[in-house]
Amino acid sequence: MDDPAGPSSRDLRIVHPAHPGAHVLALHGRADASTTDGLEDDFLYATAYGPRLVVDLSGLLYGDETLLGLLVQAQKFHDVELVGPLAPSFQRRLDITGVAAWFTVHPTLTAALNH
């Protein structure tokens, strides 16, 4: 049953905190095929914003190949930096696919923005 105070852990909540010099996407919950409607649009908008995209995954409980594909696609055209700690299952997905080295993972959003 969903918590009346907010989304359940099965939902994906996307926040766009404003920061000069970078577009930030903060993902909370689960990013999988059943929850990522609209996420591609968020990535397209974010990458149109400028050359630097910071994706805060510290609130992500699970991310599947949909999220991985969006990150890889965005990395082709922009500097994409991640904020962790990453969910262990998503870190394994990055490692297994061989793309972990493509992304800088910062311990906090502040560290990423000051980089």
mmCIF file of all heavy atoms in Angstrom, residues 62-92:
data_model
loop_
_atom_site.group_PDB
_atom_site.id
_atom_site.type_symbol
_atom_site.label_atom_id
_atom_site.label_comp_id
_atom_site.label_asym_id
_atom_site.label_seq_id
_atom_site.Cartn_x
_atom_site.Cartn_y
_atom_site.Cartn_z
ATOM 1 N N TYR A 62 16.685 1.304 -7.211
ATOM 2 C CA TYR A 62 16.926 0.320 -8.265
ATOM 3 C C TYR A 62 16.883 1.033 -9.609
ATOM 4 O O TYR A 62 16.050 1.899 -9.834
ATOM 5 C CB TYR A 62 15.845 -0.761 -8.228
ATOM 6 C CG TYR A 62 15.935 -1.739 -9.373
ATOM 7 C CD1 TYR A 62 16.840 -2.793 -9.345
ATOM 8 C CD2 TYR A 62 15.137 -1.587 -10.499
ATOM 9 C CE1 TYR A 62 16.939 -3.676 -10.407
ATOM 10 C CE2 TYR A 62 15.233 -2.471 -11.568
ATOM 11 C CZ TYR A 62 16.127 -3.510 -11.519
ATOM 12 O OH TYR A 62 16.238 -4.383 -12.563
ATOM 13 N N GLY A 63 17.794 0.661 -10.495
ATOM 14 C CA GLY A 63 17.791 1.186 -11.855
ATOM 15 C C GLY A 63 18.036 0.068 -12.839
ATOM 16 O O GLY A 63 18.958 -0.727 -12.656
ATOM 17 N N ASP A 64 17.209 -0.020 -13.886
ATOM 18 C CA ASP A 64 17.375 -1.090 -14.865
ATOM 19 C C ASP A 64 18.061 -0.570 -16.123
ATOM 20 O O ASP A 64 18.627 0.524 -16.145
ATOM 21 C CB ASP A 64 16.032 -1.777 -15.166
ATOM 22 C CG ASP A 64 15.098 -0.945 -16.033
ATOM 23 O OD1 ASP A 64 15.434 0.205 -16.387
ATOM 24 O OD2 ASP A 64 14.014 -1.457 -16.373
ATOM 25 N N GLU A 65 17.994 -1.376 -17.188
ATOM 26 C CA GLU A 65 18.672 -1.029 -18.437
ATOM 27 C C GLU A 65 18.094 0.215 -19.092
ATOM 28 O O GLU A 65 18.775 0.869 -19.878
ATOM 29 C CB GLU A 65 18.652 -2.212 -19.409
ATOM 30 C CG GLU A 65 17.270 -2.665 -19.843
ATOM 31 C CD GLU A 65 16.584 -3.591 -18.850
ATOM 32 O OE1 GLU A 65 17.173 -3.987 -17.837
ATOM 33 O OE2 GLU A 65 15.410 -3.901 -19.115
ATOM 34 N N THR A 66 16.854 0.577 -18.767
ATOM 35 C CA THR A 66 16.276 1.808 -19.316
ATOM 36 C C THR A 66 17.077 3.009 -18.836
ATOM 37 O O THR A 66 17.489 3.856 -19.630
ATOM 38 C CB THR A 66 14.798 1.944 -18.895
ATOM 39 O OG1 THR A 66 14.088 0.773 -19.277
ATOM 40 C CG2 THR A 66 14.165 3.164 -19.516
ATOM 41 N N LEU A 67 17.304 3.086 -17.544
ATOM 42 C CA LEU A 67 18.096 4.178 -16.981
ATOM 43 C C LEU A 67 19.518 4.126 -17.502
ATOM 44 O O LEU A 67 20.084 5.158 -17.887
ATOM 45 C CB LEU A 67 18.082 4.120 -15.455
ATOM 46 C CG LEU A 67 18.958 5.152 -14.752
ATOM 47 C CD1 LEU A 67 18.563 6.575 -15.133
ATOM 48 C CD2 LEU A 67 18.899 4.947 -13.247
ATOM 49 N N LEU A 68 20.103 2.956 -17.526
ATOM 50 C CA LEU A 68 21.470 2.815 -18.026
ATOM 51 C C LEU A 68 21.570 3.339 -19.459
ATOM 52 O O LEU A 68 22.491 4.083 -19.797
ATOM 53 C CB LEU A 68 21.915 1.361 -17.954
ATOM 54 C CG LEU A 68 23.314 1.075 -18.490
ATOM 55 C CD1 LEU A 68 24.370 1.816 -17.690
ATOM 56 C CD2 LEU A 68 23.587 -0.414 -18.478
ATOM 57 N N GLY A 69 20.615 2.974 -20.299
ATOM 58 C CA GLY A 69 20.622 3.434 -21.684
ATOM 59 C C GLY A 69 20.517 4.944 -21.794
ATOM 60 O O GLY A 69 21.194 5.568 -22.618
ATOM 61 N N LEU A 70 19.693 5.561 -20.963
ATOM 62 C CA LEU A 70 19.565 7.018 -20.984
ATOM 63 C C LEU A 70 20.865 7.694 -20.555
ATOM 64 O O LEU A 70 21.275 8.705 -21.140
ATOM 65 C CB LEU A 70 18.405 7.453 -20.092
ATOM 66 C CG LEU A 70 17.021 7.092 -20.604
ATOM 67 C CD1 LEU A 70 15.972 7.343 -19.525
ATOM 68 C CD2 LEU A 70 16.685 7.854 -21.877
ATOM 69 N N LEU A 71 21.519 7.141 -19.548
ATOM 70 C CA LEU A 71 22.797 7.706 -19.101
ATOM 71 C C LEU A 71 23.864 7.582 -20.178
ATOM 72 O O LEU A 71 24.617 8.531 -20.438
ATOM 73 C CB LEU A 71 23.260 7.013 -17.816
ATOM 74 C CG LEU A 71 22.464 7.318 -16.557
ATOM 75 C CD1 LEU A 71 22.861 6.379 -15.438
ATOM 76 C CD2 LEU A 71 22.647 8.766 -16.147
ATOM 77 N N VAL A 72 23.945 6.418 -20.808
ATOM 78 C CA VAL A 72 24.941 6.197 -21.864
ATOM 79 C C VAL A 72 24.667 7.123 -23.046
ATOM 80 O O VAL A 72 25.586 7.729 -23.595
ATOM 81 C CB VAL A 72 24.956 4.713 -22.290
ATOM 82 C CG1 VAL A 72 25.753 4.512 -23.560
ATOM 83 C CG2 VAL A 72 25.520 3.858 -21.161
ATOM 84 N N GLN A 73 23.409 7.246 -23.436
ATOM 85 C CA GLN A 73 23.051 8.129 -24.549
ATOM 86 C C GLN A 73 23.421 9.575 -24.233
ATOM 87 O O GLN A 73 23.988 10.278 -25.070
ATOM 88 C CB GLN A 73 21.555 8.012 -24.858
ATOM 89 C CG GLN A 73 21.103 8.813 -26.045
ATOM 90 C CD GLN A 73 21.658 8.295 -27.359
ATOM 91 O OE1 GLN A 73 22.009 7.126 -27.497
ATOM 92 N NE2 GLN A 73 21.770 9.167 -28.331
ATOM 93 N N ALA A 74 23.106 10.036 -23.040
ATOM 94 C CA ALA A 74 23.430 11.402 -22.643
ATOM 95 C C ALA A 74 24.937 11.626 -22.605
ATOM 96 O O ALA A 74 25.428 12.684 -22.994
ATOM 97 C CB ALA A 74 22.814 11.710 -21.278
ATOM 98 N N GLN A 75 25.687 10.622 -22.172
ATOM 99 C CA GLN A 75 27.149 10.728 -22.073
ATOM 100 C C GLN A 75 27.789 10.901 -23.442
ATOM 101 O O GLN A 75 28.869 11.470 -23.553
ATOM 102 C CB GLN A 75 27.715 9.493 -21.356
ATOM 103 C CG GLN A 75 29.194 9.527 -21.100
ATOM 104 C CD GLN A 75 29.603 10.531 -20.039
ATOM 105 O OE1 GLN A 75 28.788 11.118 -19.350
ATOM 106 N NE2 GLN A 75 30.885 10.752 -19.908
ATOM 107 N N LYS A 76 27.126 10.442 -24.493
ATOM 108 C CA LYS A 76 27.673 10.588 -25.842
ATOM 109 C C LYS A 76 27.771 12.055 -26.253
ATOM 110 O O LYS A 76 28.612 12.418 -27.074
ATOM 111 C CB LYS A 76 26.802 9.853 -26.856
ATOM 112 C CG LYS A 76 26.879 8.356 -26.768
ATOM 113 C CD LYS A 76 25.986 7.720 -27.816
ATOM 114 C CE LYS A 76 26.030 6.220 -27.750
ATOM 115 N NZ LYS A 76 25.143 5.607 -28.760
ATOM 116 N N PHE A 77 26.905 12.890 -25.676
ATOM 117 C CA PHE A 77 26.810 14.283 -26.117
ATOM 118 C C PHE A 77 27.167 15.299 -25.045
ATOM 119 O O PHE A 77 27.384 16.462 -25.353
ATOM 120 C CB PHE A 77 25.391 14.566 -26.616
ATOM 121 C CG PHE A 77 24.978 13.648 -27.728
ATOM 122 C CD1 PHE A 77 24.115 12.597 -27.484
ATOM 123 C CD2 PHE A 77 25.479 13.814 -29.010
ATOM 124 C CE1 PHE A 77 23.744 11.738 -28.510
ATOM 125 C CE2 PHE A 77 25.116 12.958 -30.030
ATOM 126 C CZ PHE A 77 24.240 11.919 -29.781
ATOM 127 N N HIS A 78 27.217 14.873 -23.783
ATOM 128 C CA HIS A 78 27.421 15.806 -22.687
ATOM 129 C C HIS A 78 28.269 15.165 -21.603
ATOM 130 O O HIS A 78 28.402 13.951 -21.539
ATOM 131 C CB HIS A 78 26.069 16.218 -22.088
ATOM 132 C CG HIS A 78 25.185 16.902 -23.069
ATOM 133 N ND1 HIS A 78 25.352 18.206 -23.434
ATOM 134 C CD2 HIS A 78 24.133 16.446 -23.790
ATOM 135 C CE1 HIS A 78 24.441 18.531 -24.334
ATOM 136 N NE2 HIS A 78 23.692 17.480 -24.568
ATOM 137 N N ASP A 79 28.788 16.029 -20.753
ATOM 138 C CA ASP A 79 29.503 15.562 -19.578
ATOM 139 C C ASP A 79 28.459 15.165 -18.541
ATOM 140 O O ASP A 79 27.746 16.018 -18.012
ATOM 141 C CB ASP A 79 30.404 16.679 -19.055
ATOM 142 C CG ASP A 79 31.202 16.264 -17.849
ATOM 143 O OD1 ASP A 79 31.371 15.053 -17.624
ATOM 144 O OD2 ASP A 79 31.667 17.169 -17.127
ATOM 145 N N VAL A 80 28.332 13.881 -18.277
ATOM 146 C CA VAL A 80 27.361 13.383 -17.304
ATOM 147 C C VAL A 80 28.114 12.919 -16.067
ATOM 148 O O VAL A 80 29.010 12.081 -16.157
ATOM 149 C CB VAL A 80 26.518 12.215 -17.874
ATOM 150 C CG1 VAL A 80 25.547 11.695 -16.817
ATOM 151 C CG2 VAL A 80 25.772 12.648 -19.124
ATOM 152 N N GLU A 81 27.757 13.487 -14.938
ATOM 153 C CA GLU A 81 28.353 13.101 -13.667
ATOM 154 C C GLU A 81 27.254 12.546 -12.772
ATOM 155 O O GLU A 81 26.115 13.010 -12.825
ATOM 156 C CB GLU A 81 29.017 14.301 -13.007
ATOM 157 C CG GLU A 81 30.133 14.887 -13.864
ATOM 158 C CD GLU A 81 30.690 16.171 -13.301
ATOM 159 O OE1 GLU A 81 31.121 16.156 -12.128
ATOM 160 O OE2 GLU A 81 30.666 17.182 -14.013
ATOM 161 N N LEU A 82 27.598 11.565 -11.977
ATOM 162 C CA LEU A 82 26.631 10.923 -11.107
ATOM 163 C C LEU A 82 26.919 11.275 -9.656
ATOM 164 O O LEU A 82 28.056 11.543 -9.279
ATOM 165 C CB LEU A 82 26.685 9.401 -11.275
ATOM 166 C CG LEU A 82 26.543 8.863 -12.696
ATOM 167 C CD1 LEU A 82 26.649 7.345 -12.702
ATOM 168 C CD2 LEU A 82 25.239 9.331 -13.333
ATOM 169 N N VAL A 83 25.862 11.248 -8.854
ATOM 170 C CA VAL A 83 25.988 11.445 -7.418
ATOM 171 C C VAL A 83 25.525 10.162 -6.746
ATOM 172 O O VAL A 83 24.462 9.632 -7.072
ATOM 173 C CB VAL A 83 25.140 12.637 -6.927
ATOM 174 C CG1 VAL A 83 25.205 12.756 -5.410
ATOM 175 C CG2 VAL A 83 25.599 13.929 -7.596
ATOM 176 N N GLY A 84 26.333 9.669 -5.841
ATOM 177 C CA GLY A 84 26.017 8.447 -5.115
ATOM 178 C C GLY A 84 25.784 8.726 -3.658
ATOM 179 O O GLY A 84 25.624 9.887 -3.276
ATOM 180 N N PRO A 85 25.784 7.708 -2.852
ATOM 181 C CA PRO A 85 26.167 6.355 -3.226
ATOM 182 C C PRO A 85 25.128 5.712 -4.146
ATOM 183 O O PRO A 85 23.937 5.966 -4.027
ATOM 184 C CB PRO A 85 26.258 5.610 -1.897
ATOM 185 C CG PRO A 85 25.345 6.372 -0.982
ATOM 186 C CD PRO A 85 25.387 7.801 -1.442
ATOM 187 N N LEU A 86 25.637 4.886 -5.051
ATOM 188 C CA LEU A 86 24.769 4.183 -5.979
ATOM 189 C C LEU A 86 24.215 2.924 -5.326
ATOM 190 O O LEU A 86 24.894 2.287 -4.528
ATOM 191 C CB LEU A 86 25.546 3.788 -7.235
ATOM 192 C CG LEU A 86 26.220 4.922 -8.009
ATOM 193 C CD1 LEU A 86 26.930 4.360 -9.234
ATOM 194 C CD2 LEU A 86 25.232 5.996 -8.401
ATOM 195 N N ALA A 87 22.991 2.564 -5.697
ATOM 196 C CA ALA A 87 22.424 1.300 -5.243
ATOM 197 C C ALA A 87 23.354 0.182 -5.708
ATOM 198 O O ALA A 87 23.838 0.208 -6.843
ATOM 199 C CB ALA A 87 21.021 1.108 -5.824
ATOM 200 N N PRO A 88 23.653 -0.782 -4.862
ATOM 201 C CA PRO A 88 24.582 -1.858 -5.250
ATOM 202 C C PRO A 88 24.198 -2.545 -6.563
ATOM 203 O O PRO A 88 25.065 -2.848 -7.380
ATOM 204 C CB PRO A 88 24.524 -2.829 -4.076
ATOM 205 C CG PRO A 88 24.146 -1.985 -2.903
ATOM 206 C CD PRO A 88 23.215 -0.937 -3.464
ATOM 207 N N SER A 89 22.914 -2.759 -6.786
ATOM 208 C CA SER A 89 22.499 -3.432 -8.027
ATOM 209 C C SER A 89 22.777 -2.566 -9.250
ATOM 210 O O SER A 89 23.141 -3.071 -10.312
ATOM 211 C CB SER A 89 21.022 -3.810 -7.970
ATOM 212 O OG SER A 89 20.212 -2.650 -7.858
ATOM 213 N N PHE A 90 22.644 -1.242 -9.106
ATOM 214 C CA PHE A 90 22.928 -0.367 -10.251
ATOM 215 C C PHE A 90 24.434 -0.249 -10.472
ATOM 216 O O PHE A 90 24.891 -0.208 -11.614
ATOM 217 C CB PHE A 90 22.283 1.013 -10.092
ATOM 218 C CG PHE A 90 22.275 1.778 -11.376
ATOM 219 C CD1 PHE A 90 21.477 1.366 -12.428
ATOM 220 C CD2 PHE A 90 23.082 2.885 -11.551
ATOM 221 C CE1 PHE A 90 21.478 2.047 -13.643
ATOM 222 C CE2 PHE A 90 23.084 3.579 -12.752
ATOM 223 C CZ PHE A 90 22.283 3.163 -13.800
ATOM 224 N N GLN A 91 25.208 -0.224 -9.401
ATOM 225 C CA GLN A 91 26.664 -0.217 -9.547
ATOM 226 C C GLN A 91 27.129 -1.466 -10.276
ATOM 227 O O GLN A 91 27.973 -1.394 -11.168
ATOM 228 C CB GLN A 91 27.349 -0.121 -8.174
ATOM 229 C CG GLN A 91 28.867 -0.102 -8.254
ATOM 230 C CD GLN A 91 29.403 1.130 -8.953
ATOM 231 O OE1 GLN A 91 29.141 2.251 -8.513
ATOM 232 N NE2 GLN A 91 30.136 0.953 -10.041
ATOM 233 N N ARG A 92 26.543 -2.628 -9.918
ATOM 234 C CA ARG A 92 26.888 -3.870 -10.619
ATOM 235 C C ARG A 92 26.519 -3.785 -12.096
ATOM 236 O O ARG A 92 27.267 -4.240 -12.958
ATOM 237 C CB ARG A 92 26.170 -5.069 -9.974
ATOM 238 C CG ARG A 92 26.874 -5.615 -8.762
ATOM 239 C CD ARG A 92 26.310 -6.947 -8.308
ATOM 240 N NE ARG A 92 24.887 -6.937 -8.031
ATOM 241 C CZ ARG A 92 24.338 -6.533 -6.891
ATOM 242 N NH1 ARG A 92 25.103 -6.106 -5.906
ATOM 243 N NH2 ARG A 92 23.033 -6.578 -6.734
#
